[in-house]
Amino acid sequence: AMELWQVPLRFSRLPMFPFFDLAHYVASVMALKEQRGAVEVSVRSPIACWFSAMLYCFGGSVLSSLMLAEPPVAFLAKGTNILLASSVWYFVFYCPQDLFYRCFAFLPLRLLVAGMKEVTRTWKITAGVAHADSHFKDAWLVMVAVGWARGAGGGLISNFEQLVRGVWKPETNELLKMSYPVKVTLIGAVLFTLQHGQYLPIARHNLVFLYTIFLVISKVTMMLTRSATSPFAPFEGALGHMFFGLQKIPSKVKSEAAASSNGSSVCDQSSEQHRDSVKKRQAKKTE
Amino acid sequence: AMELWQVPLRFSRLPMFPFFDLAHYVASVMALKEQRGAVEVSVRSPIACWFSAMLYCFGGSVLSSLMLAEPPVAFLAKGTNILLASSVWYFVFYCPQDLFYRCFAFLPLRLLVAGMKEVTRTWKITAGVAHADSHFKDAWLVMVAVGWARGAGGGLISNFEQLVRGVWKPETNELLKMSYPVKVTLIGAVLFTLQHGQYLPIARHNLVFLYTIFLVISKVTMMLTRSATSPFAPFEGALGHMFFGLQKIPSKVKSEAAASSNGSSVCDQSSEQHRDSVKKRQAKKTE
Amino acid sequence: AMELWQVPLRFSRLPMFPFFDLAHYVASVMALKEQRGAVEVSVRSPIACWFSAMLYCFGGSVLSSLMLAEPPVAFLAKGTNILLASSVWYFVFYCPQDLFYRCFAFLPLRLLVAGMKEVTRTWKITAGVAHADSHFKDAWLVMVAVGWARGAGGGLISNFEQLVRGVWKPETNELLKMSYPVKVTLIGAVLFTLQHGQYLPIARHNLVFLYTIFLVISKVTMMLTRSATSPFAPFEGALGHMFFGLQKIPSKVKSEAAASSNGSSVCDQSSEQHRDSVKKRQAKKTE
C-alpha cells in the first residue's frame, strides 16, 4: 500500500505526456481564441493562426532556446507533440458548430484543464532550471531567467505573438505589467533555483509537490471567484514600499488593474476592453 | 551530343555563382528601390539603405541561421557575394542619372533578371532542406520551415527589414497575407521535403527542373499580364472550404487583394497605396 | 622610472574591472534615467526598469552574442558585474532624495565618469574584433560588425530597449540617424579591424592609446560646449557628396539635427522634445 509520505515522490515522477501536455494545449489554444481578433485571423489566414497557436503552446521552449542559443525551431522536431497541438488547434478553431470549444468551456471541464495546465508549468520550470545549469555552471541568475522563460514563455513573448496576428501593443508588455501567471512562474523559478543550489531545507520532490498544489489551488480559486487579485499583492506592496519607496496602492484599484490584464479568465472581457480603448481614443483626440 | 533526358540532370548542377546570384541581387535591390520611401532613405542614410538591401539579398540566409542557432552574420563572411551585392546596391541607388536602374527596368532585361532570380529560389530551398536535415534527422517540419525561410526569407522578415528604414506596418505580415512568392516557396519546401524523404516517385533533379520551370513561367506570366492572381487560388479556395469551412471568396476580390500585396510587380503602386491609406485614415476618423 | 614611450603599452593593459566598468554603469544608468518616461517606469515596474538598465549596461554583449549565435544571457553569468550594475541601478533610481544621481550630475564628476566610460568603449571594440576573428577567420566585415555591436550595442538596440519600457518609435533608429557615439564606434571598429589585419602602420597599443584619447577629448569637449556637432561632419559631407551625390547640408541645420539625437547630453532635453512631438501631432491632425 502506498504510504502518504510517498505521494510527493510519486507525483514528481508523473509523466506529462500525453494527458497533461494535451490539457496545456487545450487551455492555451482556448486562451488564444478568446483574444480579440483571433477568430477573424483564423478565417483570414489559417497559417498565421496556426503559428500563433504554436507560440502559445511552445512559446516557453522557443524563448528559452533563443536565450541559450539553441535552435528555436527545435520544438518542430517533436512530431507527436506538434501533431497533438495542431489537432487541438484545428478542433478549437474549426470544429463544426464550435462543439469542441463549447464542450471545454463547460466550467468543470475548464477547471480540470486549467489545473492540469498548471501542473505542466512546474515541470517546465524545473526543466528550464536544470537545462540552464547544464550550460552555465552555478550561474543562478541564468537559471532563474531560463526557468522563468520556459514556464511563462507564451506570456513573455506575447508582444511578438500578437504581431503574428497583426496586433501591436507596444505600450504594454509582461515586464511592465506582469500578469499573475508570469509572476507566480518567476517566484517558482527563484524557488527551484534556490533548491537546486541547496539553499532551501526541502527535498526537490516536496517542493515540486507543494508548489504545484499552490499553483492549482490559486488558479482554480481565481477562476471560481472571477477575481484576479494576486495573492501576493500585500507582499508586493510591502516590498515595493520598503525597497523602492513606492506608495501603497489601495487594493481595490490594484485588483481592477490586474483584472484587465488577465488574458485567460473565465469571462470574455472584450466588451470591457473595447470600452476602454474607445475612451483612450477619445482622450487622445481631446488632448 | 547531349540527350534530352540529360537536361534536368545538367540543369540541377548549374552553378549559381556568379550570374544567377547577380540577377538575384539586381532583382532584389530594384524591388527595394520601388518601396515607398526607399529613395529618401538612400539619401538620408546610406548605411541604413545598404543594410536594408543586404536584408533583401541575404534575408533567407539570416532567417534560416537564426532558426538553426547559427551566426546570422555568417553571410558577411562571404566576401565576394557581399562585394557583388554591395556594388549592385550602389549602382541601383546612386548611379548618375539613374542609368543602371533604368537599364534593368527595360522589360526584356527585367524579365530575364526576374526569371534568373527564380532559379536561385529553387537552389536555396533545396539547400535549406538539406541543411535542416543535417541538424535534425528526419524532422520533416523543421525541413519545411528552414527550406521556406531560406527561399523566402526576405519576404518573411519584411516587417523587420522595413523597421530598418523607419517603416512599421504591424497590421500585416507575410503570414497573415501571403504574397505569391512566399506561397510558392512554401509549396516548394513541402515538395522538396517529401522528395528528400522519398515519398515522391520522382528523382531529385527532375523535381528541381520541373519546379524551377514552373517558377519561371508563372513569374514571367504574372509580370507580362500584370496580374497577381495566384495560380493556386482555386485550390486554395477549395482547401479552405473543405478544411476550414471558409466561404469561397469571389475571384475578382481575391485578385485585387493579391495585387496590392505583391511588392515586386512591374508598375509602381505607390499612388494606389497612398489612396488606400488615406481612405483608411478617414475611415478611422469617422468611426 | 617609467619612460614616456611606455605609457601607451601600460595604458593598453589597464584592467577595466572594477573602476572603469563601474563608471560605464553609472553613465549608462544615468542616461537611462534621463530618458522621458523612465522615472515613471521605475515606479510602475522595477523589473522592467532593471531589465532596461541591464540592456543599457550590457547591450553590446547581448547584441554581439546574438550575432555570433552565442547565448545572449551569458552576461547574467558574470555575477560580480551584474551585482555592480544592479547596485548602480538601485542607487540611481531609488536613492532617498535622489542623492546618488544628484551627486554624479555635478559637472566635474559627470565629466570624469563620462571620460572613463569612453575608455571602456575601446576595450569593448577590440574584444569584439578579436572575438569575431576567432569565429570567422579573416572575415573583416564580420569583425567590423561585431566590434561595432560590442562597442555601441546599447545604442543599436535602442528600439527594442525602449519597447521594454513601453515606448515604440519605429520612425527612427540608430542606422537611419546615427548618433555621435555610434558613429565614432563604427570608425573605431574599422580602425581596429584594419590594425588586426596589419593594414595600418601602427602598433596595437598605440592605436588603443590614440583612439581612446580622441574618444575622451571629443566627449568631454562636446559636454562642455553643449554642442553636438560631430567632428566628422565636414568629412561626412565630403564623402556623401563624392560617393552618394548628396547635397551638402548647411552645417547649422546639421548640428541641430545631431543635437536632438544625442541622448546622453548634459542638459535635459525633454521639454524641447515634448514641444517637437506636440508639433508633430498637430501637423498630423491638420494633414
Side-chain angles (χ1 to χ4, degrees), chain B residues 41-48 51 69-74 76-77 82 89-90 94 160 163-168 281 285, chain C residues 66-69 135-136 139 141-142 145-146 148 159-160 168 170-173 175-176 178 186 242-244 246 284-285 287:
Chain B
V41 167
S42 75
V43 173
R44 275 174 65 196
S45 168
I47 285 197
F51 188 60
E70 296 180 340
V73 292
L76 291 175
I82 289 286
W89 160 77
Y90 185 79
Y94 304 104
F160 295 96
L163 187 56
V164 172
R165 292 185 279 120
V167 175
W168 184 244
R281 229 177 299 142
K285 277 193 183 162
Chain C
L66 284 174
M67 287 164 75
L68 293 171
H135 272 65
F136 294 91
L141 221 51
V142 179
V146 176
W148 190 25
N159 283 52
F160 295 95
W168 184 243
E171 68 280 0
T172 189
N173 60 56
L175 288 176
L176 264 184
M178 250 185 239
L186 175 56
M242 201 189 304
F243 289 110
F244 304 115
L246 309 180
K284 268 184 192 161
K285 276 192 183 163
E287 81 181 359

Side-chain angles (χ1 to χ4, degrees), chain A residues 41 43-48 51 69-74 76-77 82 89-90 94 163-166 168 281 285, chain B residues 66-69 136 139 141-142 145 148 159-160 168 170-173 175-176 178 186 242-244 246 284-285 287:
Chain A
V41 167
V43 173
R44 275 174 65 196
S45 168
I47 285 197
F51 188 59
E70 296 180 340
V73 292
L76 291 175
I82 289 286
W89 160 77
Y90 185 79
Y94 304 103
L163 187 56
V164 172
R165 293 185 279 119
W168 184 243
R281 228 177 299 141
K285 276 191 184 165
Chain B
L66 284 174
M67 287 164 76
L68 293 171
F136 293 91
L141 221 51
V142 179
W148 190 24
N159 283 51
F160 295 96
W168 184 244
E171 68 281 0
T172 189
N173 60 56
L175 287 176
L176 264 185
M178 249 184 240
L186 175 56
M242 202 190 304
F243 288 110
F244 304 116
L246 309 180
K284 268 186 191 160
K285 277 193 183 162
E287 81 180 1

Side-chain angles (χ1 to χ4, degrees), chain A residues 114-134:
Chain A
M116 287 172 79
K117 177 193 159 91
E118 292 306 307
V119 175
T120 68
R121 197 184 293 280
T122 313
W123 264 244
K124 281 183 209 147
I125 297 172
T126 54
V129 168
H131 192 182
D133 189 48
S134 71

Side-chain angles (χ1 to χ4, degrees), chain B:
Chain B
M2 191 168 86
E3 310 275 341
L4 197 64
W5 61 266
Q6 284 184 315
V7 171
L9 192 61
R10 298 226 170 176
F11 178 77
S12 75
R13 287 175 184 161
L14 262 185
M16 287 298 105
F17 184 83
F19 299 111
F20 289 89
D21 279 342
L22 209 47
H24 169 60
Y25 303 147
V26 171
S28 301
V29 178
M30 283 175 74
L32 169 61
K33 188 168 185 174
E34 280 151 15
Q35 298 295 307
R36 197 142 50 101
V39 173
E40 288 88 70
V41 167
S42 75
V43 173
R44 275 174 65 196
S45 168
I47 285 197
C49 183
W50 176 82
F51 188 60
S52 210
M54 292 305 108
L55 287 182
Y56 256 77
C57 293
F58 302 100
S61 161
V62 170
L63 184 58
S64 62
S65 298
L66 284 174
M67 287 164 76
L68 293 171
E70 296 180 340
V73 292
F75 76 92
L76 291 175
K78 292 182 286 182
T80 327
N81 291 59
I82 289 286
L83 193 68
L84 275 184
S86 301
S87 312
V88 167
W89 160 77
Y90 185 79
F91 285 120
V92 166
F93 276 98
Y94 304 104
C95 193
Q97 282 146 40
D98 216 5
L99 274 178
F100 191 90
Y101 177 81
R102 281 191 198 163
C103 164
F104 281 96
F106 176 56
L107 193 57
L109 255 182
R110 181 146 206 164
L111 288 176
L112 177 70
V113 163
M116 287 172 79
K117 177 193 159 91
E118 292 306 307
V119 175
T120 68
R121 197 184 293 280
T122 313
W123 264 244
K124 282 184 210 145
I125 297 172
T126 55
V129 168
H131 192 183
D133 189 49
S134 70
H135 271 65
F136 293 91
K137 210 64 203 161
D138 292 327
W140 64 272
L141 221 51
V142 179
M143 287 157 77
V144 170
V146 175
W148 190 24
R150 190 78 156 265
L156 288 169
I157 62 168
S158 57
N159 283 51
F160 295 96
E161 181 276 321
Q162 289 169 348
L163 187 56
V164 172
R165 292 185 279 120
V167 175
W168 184 244
K169 292 176 184 162
E171 68 281 0
T172 189
N173 60 56
E174 282 286 349
L175 287 176
L176 264 185
K177 199 171 176 178
M178 249 184 240
S179 63
Y180 174 71
V182 171
K183 215 176 267 174
V184 80
T185 309
L186 175 56
I187 292 169
V190 171
L191 287 179
F192 283 105
T193 301
L194 290 176
Q195 199 283 325
H196 198 99
Q198 293 173 325
Y199 293 109
L200 288 190
I202 184 172
R204 192 177 161 286
H205 57 266
N206 286 326
L207 184 60
V208 165
F209 187 67
L210 291 175
Y211 178 70
T212 311
I213 295 286
F214 176 78
L215 277 183
V216 173
I217 289 182
S218 65
K219 179 76 187 175
V220 168
T221 314
M222 283 166 72
M223 286 174 78
L224 283 178
T225 60
R226 304 203 172 193
S227 126
T229 324
S230 159
F232 312 124
F235 302 96
E236 276 170 44
L239 284 174
H241 188 66
M242 202 190 304
F243 288 110
F244 304 116
L246 309 180
Q247 296 306 311
K248 281 183 196 168
I249 303 163
S251 62
K252 190 171 153 286
V253 177
K254 187 118 191 168
S255 75
E256 273 175 11
S260 72
S261 74
N262 182 17
S264 59
S265 63
V266 172
C267 54
D268 193 352
Q269 299 167 338
S270 47
S271 64
E272 189 190 49
Q273 284 178 355
H274 185 247
R275 222 186 313 125
D276 281 354
S277 66
V278 167
K279 269 185 208 160
K280 270 181 214 154
R281 229 177 299 142
Q282 291 171 337
K284 268 186 191 160
K285 277 193 183 162
T286 55
E287 81 180 1

Side-chain angles (χ1 to χ4, degrees), chain A residues 173-251:
Chain A
N173 60 56
E174 282 286 349
L175 287 176
L176 264 184
K177 200 172 176 177
M178 250 185 240
S179 64
Y180 174 71
V182 171
K183 215 176 268 175
V184 80
T185 309
L186 175 57
I187 292 169
V190 170
L191 287 178
F192 283 106
T193 301
L194 291 176
Q195 199 283 325
H196 199 98
Q198 293 173 326
Y199 293 109
L200 287 189
I202 185 173
R204 192 177 161 287
H205 57 266
N206 287 326
L207 184 60
V208 164
F209 187 67
L210 292 175
Y211 178 71
T212 311
I213 295 285
F214 176 78
L215 278 183
V216 173
I217 289 182
S218 64
K219 180 75 186 176
V220 169
T221 314
M222 283 166 73
M223 286 174 78
L224 284 178
T225 60
R226 305 203 171 193
S227 127
T229 324
S230 160
F232 312 125
F235 302 96
E236 276 170 44
L239 284 174
H241 188 66
M242 201 189 306
F243 288 110
F244 304 115
L246 309 180
Q247 296 306 311
K248 281 182 194 168
I249 303 163
S251 61

Side-chain angles (χ1 to χ4, degrees), chain C residues 12-193:
Chain C
S12 75
R13 287 175 185 161
L14 262 185
M16 286 299 105
F17 184 83
F19 298 111
F20 289 90
D21 279 342
L22 209 47
H24 168 59
Y25 303 147
V26 171
S28 301
V29 178
M30 283 175 73
L32 169 61
K33 188 167 185 175
E34 280 152 15
Q35 298 295 308
R36 197 143 49 101
V39 173
E40 288 87 70
V41 168
S42 75
V43 173
R44 274 174 65 197
S45 168
I47 285 197
C49 183
W50 176 81
F51 188 59
S52 210
M54 292 304 108
L55 287 182
Y56 256 77
C57 292
F58 302 100
S61 161
V62 171
L63 184 59
S64 63
S65 298
L66 284 174
M67 287 164 75
L68 293 171
E70 297 181 340
V73 292
F75 75 93
L76 291 175
K78 292 182 286 182
T80 327
N81 291 59
I82 289 286
L83 192 69
L84 275 184
S86 301
S87 311
V88 167
W89 160 76
Y90 185 79
F91 285 120
V92 166
F93 276 98
Y94 304 104
C95 193
Q97 282 145 40
D98 216 6
L99 274 178
F100 192 89
Y101 177 81
R102 280 191 199 163
C103 164
F104 281 97
F106 176 56
L107 193 58
L109 255 182
R110 181 145 206 165
L111 288 176
L112 178 70
V113 163
M116 287 171 79
K117 178 193 159 91
E118 291 306 307
V119 174
T120 67
R121 198 183 293 279
T122 313
W123 264 244
K124 281 183 210 146
I125 297 172
T126 54
V129 168
H131 192 182
D133 189 49
S134 71
H135 272 65
F136 294 91
K137 210 64 204 161
D138 292 327
W140 64 272
L141 221 51
V142 179
M143 287 157 78
V144 170
V146 176
W148 190 25
R150 190 78 157 265
L156 289 169
I157 61 168
S158 57
N159 283 52
F160 295 95
E161 180 275 321
Q162 289 169 348
L163 187 55
V164 172
R165 292 185 279 121
V167 174
W168 184 243
K169 292 176 183 163
E171 68 280 0
T172 189
N173 60 56
E174 282 286 350
L175 288 176
L176 264 184
K177 200 172 176 178
M178 250 185 239
S179 64
Y180 174 71
V182 171
K183 216 176 267 174
V184 80
T185 309
L186 175 56
I187 292 170
V190 171
L191 287 179
F192 283 105
T193 301

